[in-house]
Amino acid sequence: MHGHTDNYTFLTQGPIHRVILTMAVPTIISMLVTSLYNIADTFFVGQIDTQSTAAVGIVFSLMFFVQATGFFFGHGSGNYISRELGARRHDNAVKMASTGFFTSFLFGLLILVVGEIYLTPLSVLLGSTPTILPYTEQYMRIILFGAPFLTSSLTLNNQMRLQGNAAYAMYGIVAGAILNVVLDPILIFSCGMGVGGAALATVTGQVVSFLILFYMTHKGENIAVSFRNFSPSWRAYKEIFYGGSPSLMRQGLACVATMSLNVAAGAYGDSAIAAMSIVGRIAMLVFAAVIGLGQGFQPVCGFCYGAGLYDRLKEAYKFTVIVGTGFLVVCAVVGWLVSGSLIGIFRNDTEVIDIGMVALRWQLCTFPLNAFILASNMLAQTCRKPWRANLLAAARQGLFFIPLIFILPSCFGLKGVEMCQALSDVCSFVLTVPIVAYTFREFNRESRMRVS
């Protein structure tokens, strides 16, 4: 696996930079590949017409909700598994793995059924204009079939990662994404299926990912998932809720924020929706790397917190923030210089490029603040500080973004839509500083108590 002793020893004793990067690299690859999934669809569908491009952008907020469900169960069960393994309580971890997985699959089935029944009202609710509606329905009808496979794949992926087996988690995600990218042009253009072909390619990739990940749970040091260990109980679901609610909060609010953004941008025409959706994709691709780095920090954080190694935990946190911030500064500078041509790659339309370029440059200004915001959120979430983790998770795309997206355009018009995320980032940063200071004071108290 890492060419070292078992995960426990590696995570609690190995050199910090090596441990975090060993855990982060496969996760960064998984995250980038998952973003490429979405970008591939946007790219190939962008060759059809503006309506289809917008339809994919609209269904994306539903995909966000499905992903949020998977992350909720994955992080909820995974953070618990990581702390229990750190405290050497293996049986609890085994039961939690199967409970998280099967519940996640059932929720995915529920989304599939409800979504198919309320297809049209759901499309309109997500921000479909009458011109985009038929494309949205065609795309969503097929995409929904992937829901149970996507939720449970994400759950397995996060469980493996938080056990310190990120490389296994990567194989399943990467294989599915590559298959999607290969099938996209075949189904869209060669088979003439249009936007429906893009959806079918995505679902096929998700099913393949699911099968590989399920097979991987029986390999290496992974905890095998089996129905006989499925033990639903209030206590288990309470732990999942504590560990997973920040992810649900973050993703769920991102979904509401995307819907609000589509509505706000829609006032300025289909080009504005397409432009903001492209800027969102570019930002997500960059953040994928930082989130991956933060997720490399999480198993270290969980194991060290479970084992009471507070100084090591602090060192790991500091390393994560410094590396992440440095990376984002570089991205901001490079992105600023090539912002026009970046937007043009996705949709070569002068109106889309003009709107997108301004919005992207606003966001680049506050990019470097986000490594600190993200790492702090993951710290609170993994160390089971639910209210802090939820508050921080809600801040960037909810607490600040949602009111601002309604206030700013009424004052500044389209410029208000373009600058909204940057202002939201600044507010989140200011909120995060005192919360982190308080958390570290608390760690100092806990470590003194352990010593005495």
Side-chain angles (χ1 to χ4, degrees):
M1 166 68 198
H2 308 294
H4 63 75
T5 49
D6 64 305
N7 286 353
Y8 178 85
T9 317
F10 184 60
L11 288 163
T12 52
Q13 289 163 28
I16 286 285
H17 61 277
R18 197 173 130 229
V19 178
I20 292 183
L21 295 175
T22 305
M23 295 292 150
V25 169
T27 312
I28 291 173
I29 294 172
S30 307
M31 294 289 301
L32 287 174
V33 165
T34 311
S35 304
L36 284 174
Y37 245 159
N38 306 328
I39 283 180
D41 273 5
T42 309
F43 174 76
F44 289 116
V45 172
Q47 317 296 313
I48 310 174
D49 50 34
T50 302
Q51 277 70 33
S52 297
T53 311
V56 173
I58 283 167
V59 177
F60 195 64
S61 41
L62 173 78
M63 295 285 284
F64 241 61
F65 177 70
V66 178
Q67 286 173 346
T69 309
F71 283 127
F72 171 72
F73 288 106
H75 288 154
S77 54
N79 282 317
Y80 175 80
I81 290 169
S82 150
R83 287 196 307 274
E84 291 302 292
L85 292 174
R88 303 267 183 171
R89 291 189 287 265
H90 194 261
D91 289 353
N92 294 349
V94 171
K95 287 201 177 103
M96 179 56 90
S98 297
T99 306
F101 168 78
F102 286 108
T103 314
S104 179
F105 190 83
L106 290 172
F107 264 80
L109 278 177
L110 187 69
I111 294 170
L112 162 63
V113 173
V114 173
E116 294 290 352
I117 295 172
Y118 296 107
L119 195 66
T120 307
L122 189 59
S123 304
V124 175
L125 177 74
L126 294 176
S128 234
T129 58
T131 43
I132 303 172
L133 188 63
Y135 299 93
T136 308
E137 287 186 354
Q138 187 190 353
Y139 188 72
M140 198 186 323
R141 183 175 291 119
I142 299 172
I143 276 289
L144 279 164
F145 279 97
F149 299 102
L150 182 57
T151 52
S152 43
S153 294
L154 289 170
T155 301
L156 286 179
N157 179 20
N158 283 295
Q159 285 182 358
M160 288 184 199
R161 186 173 63 69
L162 283 152
Q163 290 169 49
N165 302 321
Y168 286 110
M170 173 184 77
Y171 300 133
I173 299 289
V174 171
I178 292 171
L179 185 64
N180 178 19
V181 175
V182 171
L183 288 175
D184 258 337
I186 298 173
L187 295 175
I188 296 174
F189 305 114
S190 312
C191 303
M193 291 174 68
V195 75
L200 188 60
T202 304
V203 172
T204 311
Q206 286 165 352
V207 173
V208 170
S209 276
F210 168 82
L211 295 172
I212 294 174
L213 283 165
F214 190 78
Y215 170 72
M216 286 291 175
T217 61
H218 298 272
K219 291 271 167 273
E221 278 185 54
N222 284 311
I223 293 177
V225 168
S226 74
F227 198 70
R228 65 164 191 278
N229 290 326
F230 175 50
S231 42
S233 66
W234 276 118
R235 189 170 160 269
Y237 289 131
K238 194 173 84 181
E239 286 297 339
I240 290 179
F241 181 78
Y242 279 147
S245 56
S247 303
L248 191 64
M249 180 73 90
R250 189 166 47 235
Q251 293 267 12
L253 282 168
C255 170
V256 177
T258 311
M259 282 160 58
S260 314
L261 180 63
N262 286 341
V263 172
Y268 304 95
D270 284 359
S271 295
I273 296 187
M276 294 311 292
S277 143
I278 290 170
V279 171
R281 294 300 155 82
I282 295 170
M284 265 184 62
L285 192 61
V286 175
F287 284 157
V290 182
I291 291 169
L293 178 70
Q295 292 186 337
F297 158 70
Q298 271 184 308
V300 185
C301 180
F303 272 73
C304 290
Y305 187 68
L309 305 166
Y310 295 99
D311 288 341
R312 183 175 170 78
L313 200 165
K314 280 178 212 170
E315 199 190 328
Y317 169 78
K318 207 180 299 175
F319 174 80
T320 307
V321 173
I322 291 169
V323 173
T325 307
F327 169 74
L328 286 175
V329 169
V330 173
C331 289
V333 174
V334 174
W336 184 277
L337 298 174
V338 297
S339 45
S341 41
L342 264 181
I343 308 282
I345 294 173
F346 293 99
R347 186 86 191 125
N348 200 358
D349 168 331
T350 46
E351 199 180 350
V352 174
I353 293 174
D354 292 343
I355 299 172
M357 199 164 133
V358 178
L360 183 60
R361 286 187 165 175
W362 270 101
Q363 276 201 33
L364 291 171
C365 294
T366 58
F367 255 25
L369 302 178
N370 280 292
F372 171 69
I373 299 172
L374 274 164
S376 307
N377 188 353
M378 290 179 173
L379 172 84
Q381 184 173 359
T382 307
C383 295
R384 200 172 179 273
K385 312 282 182 207
W387 68 265
R388 267 165 270 178
N390 274 310
L391 183 63
L392 291 177
R396 185 174 179 262
Q397 287 191 295
L399 215 56
F400 298 118
F401 185 89
I402 294 169
L404 284 172
I405 193 71
F406 293 111
I407 298 164
L408 294 173
S410 58
C411 307
F412 305 103
L414 181 58
K415 172 78 79 220
V417 177
E418 293 166 333
M419 65 202 252
C420 183
Q421 187 64 66
L423 274 178
S424 174
D425 286 352
V426 173
C427 298
S428 305
F429 183 81
V430 173
L431 173 74
T432 307
V433 174
I435 291 183
V436 169
Y438 175 75
T439 305
F440 278 117
R441 282 203 302 277
E442 196 177 60
F443 286 160
N444 292 338
R445 277 203 305 278
E446 286 177 24
S447 87
R448 281 198 299 276
M449 277 163 63
R450 276 192 183 234
V451 173
S452 59

